[in-house]
Amino acid sequence: MLKKFLISILSLIVLSIGGLFLYNNFKHKPVYGIILLDKDGTKVNNSINAQKKDIEKHVVVEGKWVEPTKTLALNVTDAQKIIAFNGFKKVTGSKDNYKFEPIKKISPNEVSLFSKESTSMVTDEAYKAFPSPINEYVTLGESSAHVNNLLVLPDKQYNAFTGSPISLGVLKVKSDASKVLINYNKVEMNQLYDESGT
């Protein structure tokens, strides 16, 4: 009887230590970045204004959107503002072990196409093709759920690109973003991302 009791206690201790080890290695790791996209820019700005107390810093830029291909076009100046927030992440690794590294710079004079698909061009709403010598797998934040293609264009090409207006907000929040994302549900598209440079 005493032997069974000791075995039970020992088993409970082993299970507790194992559970603690698993929790420490696989527990939720908070992130502090949120990305907002909406064709109505006032929704993005209103959401940010309503949550001002929880936002450490933010930027809102205007882009152009092509719905059928989920293409977001930005000019170089606005793309640089997103880069300052580590908003573009280069994807490396394999399907089971993706890694996301922030893009630190882009070419100011060349068209850059960031897409999961290996392609050298994208078309706008008027079906005009925009070829790109730069094509990498880069996502907005850490997901391509809302945006399949990111097209960064020098001003002259950006002005020639036809697309619907869209507002993009990138936020660094003070709280765990997974706990406050619900406060941004009035915008068309929102997602979490790790805004840290690691």
Side-chain angles (χ1 to χ4, degrees), residues 72-124:
L72 172 64
L74 296 170
N75 65 33
V76 171
T77 304
D78 287 342
Q80 294 286 4
K81 294 175 184 175
I82 306 305
I83 286 172
F85 280 74
N86 295 318
F88 297 134
K89 302 281 184 152
K90 183 174 181 175
V91 183
T92 59
S94 65
K95 186 176 183 180
D96 296 328
N97 191 23
Y98 284 129
K99 293 181 182 158
F100 297 89
E101 299 169 11
I103 295 285
K104 295 295 185 187
K105 63 179 186 169
I106 52 174
S107 172
N109 302 315
E110 291 186 292
V111 176
S112 299
L113 176 58
F114 301 142
S115 174
K116 184 177 182 178
E117 304 301 320
S118 182
T119 181
S120 60
M121 76 171 73
V122 69
T123 57
D124 66 4

Side-chain angles (χ1 to χ4, degrees), residues 129-191:
F130 286 79
S132 171
I134 300 167
N135 179 243
E136 296 180 296
Y137 185 12
V138 174
T139 58
L140 179 61
E142 292 168 12
S143 171
S144 55
H146 299 300
V147 179
N148 291 342
N149 304 303
L150 288 161
L151 188 65
V152 179
L153 300 155
D155 288 344
K156 187 175 179 182
Q157 286 99 329
Y158 180 78
N159 292 336
F161 189 91
T162 304
S164 303
I166 192 164
S167 290
L168 166 63
V170 182
L171 294 66
K172 181 175 181 181
V173 293
K174 298 173 186 172
S175 308
D176 181 353
S178 66
K179 295 178 181 169
V180 297
L181 186 65
I182 188 104
N183 298 330
Y184 301 92
N185 62 358
K186 291 189 171 131
V187 297
E188 193 174 341
M189 299 170 262
N190 61 33
Q191 69 182 50

